[in-house]
Amino acid sequence: MAKVYYDQDADLNLLKDKAIAIIGYGIQGRGQSLCLRDSGCRVIVSELADTPNFEQAKTDGFIPVSADEAAKGADIIQILTQDHVQAKVYKESIKPNLKKGKALCFSHGFNIRFKQIKPPKNVDVFMVAPKGPGALVRKMYEEDKGVPCLLAVFQDATGQAKQLGLAYAKAIGGTRAGVIETTFDEETETDLFGEQT
């Protein structure tokens, strides 16, 4: 039986002194950034200059920066670019800025599952995957509800990866609806299977 976590299982205080970089201000990036900010988190948004998403981030009150700058200034780096560009962004902008104790976060396991991204051993790697589009994540959050999320830990360097993941899920409203524990492999394979069928 899968373990399900709710609000009482997650501690937002774990994010209090941490900066969270959102790499990619698309559908999930926007929804998660706004919810994180409203939950009291310090959010650094990264988006390509002169794009509609860049302008949207500015309209929403963020000052978007490069992926390199965001990764450098963040404790938790959430990669929300499209799957096929994540490895390139990681190698060029994120990997050089990873230090012991930082955390990598994903909302889909593809690039870890298929070893397109190979994180160093001294960082936490976890996934918080809302089971709905970013606009719904935001809408439900604003209604004091939430979208159920999947939580997986790939690497626990600090001993707190799972607790960090639960805190992140709470900050985007996921623990209001329930957070189901899984693995990167299971999430990726069931997601791909679902897309194909």
Side-chain angles (χ1 to χ4, degrees):
M1 187 78 176
K3 175 78 173 145
V4 184
Y5 300 91
Y6 296 96
D7 275 350
Q8 67 272 17
D9 302 308
D11 183 5
L12 271 181
N13 286 320
L14 290 175
L15 303 178
K16 192 173 59 177
D17 300 320
K18 299 189 182 302
I20 302 171
I22 300 291
I23 312 293
Y25 201 74
I27 300 290
Q28 277 295 339
R30 180 171 189 256
Q32 292 190 29
S33 295
L34 293 170
C35 295
L36 288 163
R37 183 173 68 185
D38 286 354
S39 291
C41 299
R42 187 154 56 96
V43 180
I44 306 167
V45 167
S46 168
E47 186 50 79
L48 294 172
D50 303 319
T51 62
N53 289 345
F54 184 92
E55 294 305 319
Q56 182 64 61
K58 289 202 300 187
T59 300
D60 291 338
F62 294 105
I63 302 168
V65 297
S66 67
D68 182 76
E69 190 177 334
K72 195 176 293 180
D75 303 289
I76 299 171
I77 302 158
Q78 164 65 298
I79 307 175
L80 288 172
T81 61
Q82 294 171 307
D83 286 339
H84 65 279
V85 297
Q86 283 189 10
K88 182 176 189 289
V89 172
Y90 172 78
K91 288 183 186 107
E92 291 176 1
S93 302
I94 297 171
K95 188 178 178 182
N97 294 298
L98 284 179
K99 293 187 176 69
K100 182 180 179 181
K102 287 196 177 195
L104 278 178
C105 179
F106 296 84
S107 283
H108 180 39
F110 185 92
N111 279 280
I112 293 291
R113 166 65 181 84
F114 292 108
K115 299 180 171 54
Q116 301 303 297
I117 292 175
K118 297 176 184 174
K121 295 291 183 198
N122 61 354
V123 300
D124 288 339
V125 183
F126 63 88
M127 173 173 50
V128 176
K131 298 315 290 174
L136 183 64
V137 170
R138 181 60 181 160
K139 180 177 184 289
M140 297 300 278
Y141 180 96
E142 290 179 313
E143 293 175 5
D144 289 324
K145 298 173 188 167
V147 171
C149 293
L150 297 177
L151 169 73
V153 174
F154 177 75
Q155 201 165 274
D156 187 8
T158 66
Q160 276 202 312
K162 182 174 173 180
Q163 289 75 19
L164 270 182
L166 283 169
Y168 188 101
K170 184 171 186 172
I172 63 171
T175 49
R176 296 172 184 170
V179 175
I180 302 165
E181 199 165 7
T182 185
T183 66
F184 272 72
D185 286 2
E186 280 182 3
E187 186 278 336
T188 303
E189 288 158 19
T190 54
D191 191 79
L192 291 174
F193 184 80
E195 284 177 8
Q196 296 306 312
T197 55

